[in-house]
Amino acid sequence: KAGVTQTPRYLIKTRGQQVTLSCSPISGHRSVSWYQQTPGQGLQFLFEYFSETQRNKGNFPGRFSGRQFSNSRSEMNVSTLELGDSALYLCASSWGTGLRGTSTDSYNEQFFGPGTRLTVL
Amino acid sequence: GQQVMQIPQYQHVQEGEDFTTYCNSSTTLSNIQWYKQRPGGHPVFLIQLVKSGEVKKQKRLTFQFGEAKKNSSLHITATQTTDVGTYFCAGGAFGNEKLTFGTGTRLTIIP
């Protein structure tokens, strides 16, 4: 089956602009999580959506927002870009999240997309 | 909030030597997952541990979950060049679906 896809793969923006990134999860997966990855901060959780509802949010300013559509595709938006927003943005999909009790249960195994490399100039 | 730390941040080993990375959480975890990210790639799921004291093996990789479910380790025996990458642990909290990723350990192999 097809993996997680993210578009665009690369993006160059200038400070003050806004950007929208897209993520198409694996077919059947209802949970989509977004992460920001930078060399100094590692993988930082942005938010998680399940069946069009945001269930969890990380410690990012309100300039970062997202949404999920009925087909589980998700978008994240960053408004008023700052230089520090330059990063690799990864989305990951799973059947769901939270534990279902067994080590062999793949329910919350996260499948990552290739990421969108955002550069803010 | 929950914090997950990993040590060491970097590790350089000669090919054939063993490697271990440690993961420590500030809170008790419901489960822990391990991921590997090759240079230029994206994280790929390796394994999930759920039970206190659980040990699981995948060929040369051994994963452990601490008795208190606050720490975990990944041990690689006789490293190979294909083991190069960054290894992340990710902890799940009780009653919360959020996974908190560790800071990662970047493994470099010296041929």
Side-chain angles (χ1 to χ4, degrees):
Chain A
K1 56 184 175 183
V4 178
T5 58
Q6 290 187 247
T7 57
R9 292 293 310 279
Y10 302 92
L11 205 51
I12 298 176
K13 292 286 189 179
T14 56
R15 279 181 301 173
Q17 287 186 309
Q18 76 165 16
V19 66
T20 299
L21 311 182
S22 181
C23 172
S24 292
I26 289 173
S27 178
H29 284 188
R30 296 166 66 188
S31 171
V32 174
S33 299
W34 288 89
Y35 298 87
Q36 181 194 65
Q37 186 172 37
T38 58
Q41 298 296 318
L43 272 166
Q44 300 291 309
F45 174 79
L46 282 155
F47 25 66
E48 186 251 344
Y49 287 88
F50 184 88
S51 294
E52 301 179 66
T53 300
Q54 185 184 89
R55 295 198 301 185
N56 280 292
K57 192 176 190 304
N59 297 323
F60 279 81
R63 300 185 296 107
F64 291 81
S65 63
R67 59 179 176 169
Q68 186 180 32
F69 302 95
S70 57
N71 61 358
S72 292
R73 191 177 69 84
S74 178
E75 289 182 346
M76 68 163 280
N77 184 276
V78 188
S79 63
T80 319
L81 284 166
E82 300 177 359
L83 294 178
D85 296 333
S86 294
L88 178 67
Y89 289 88
L90 292 161
C91 84
S93 77
S94 62
W95 293 105
T97 55
L99 189 62
R100 291 209 304 191
T102 71
S103 297
T104 57
D105 196 326
S106 62
Y107 183 70
N108 58 351
E109 172 185 340
Q110 304 237 324
F111 291 82
F112 282 83
T116 294
R117 174 74 62 185
L118 172 65
T119 302
V120 182
L121 303 175
Chain B
Q2 181 184 41
Q3 293 186 355
V4 179
M5 303 298 294
Q6 271 183 265
I7 54 170
Q9 189 175 0
Y10 301 95
Q11 186 78 59
H12 309 280
V13 300
Q14 291 276 352
E15 187 175 6
E17 290 183 339
D18 293 356
F19 158 77
T20 304
T21 173
Y22 300 91
C23 180
N24 293 288
S25 169
S26 59
T27 59
T28 302
L29 300 170
S30 63
N31 64 305
I32 192 143
Q33 298 180 354
W34 285 90
Y35 292 80
K36 176 184 178 181
Q37 184 174 22
R38 294 179 184 273
H42 55 273
V44 175
F45 177 85
L46 293 175
I47 207 163
Q48 174 172 272
L49 303 174
V50 172
K51 299 175 183 175
S52 170
E54 188 169 15
V55 178
K56 298 192 83 172
K57 292 190 176 185
Q58 290 180 347
K59 298 183 180 178
R60 296 178 295 105
L61 278 62
T62 302
F63 303 84
Q64 291 188 325
F65 200 10
E67 293 290 339
K69 301 182 76 172
K70 293 182 73 173
N71 57 76
S72 181
S73 66
L74 158 60
H75 179 82
I76 301 178
T77 304
T79 54
Q80 300 175 358
T81 55
T82 53
D83 296 325
V84 164
T86 301
Y87 293 84
F88 293 96
C89 63
F94 287 99
N96 183 327
E97 292 78 15
K98 188 175 79 170
L99 267 182
T100 301
F101 276 78
T103 45
T105 296
R106 185 172 177 179
L107 173 64
T108 305
I109 307 291
I110 305 166

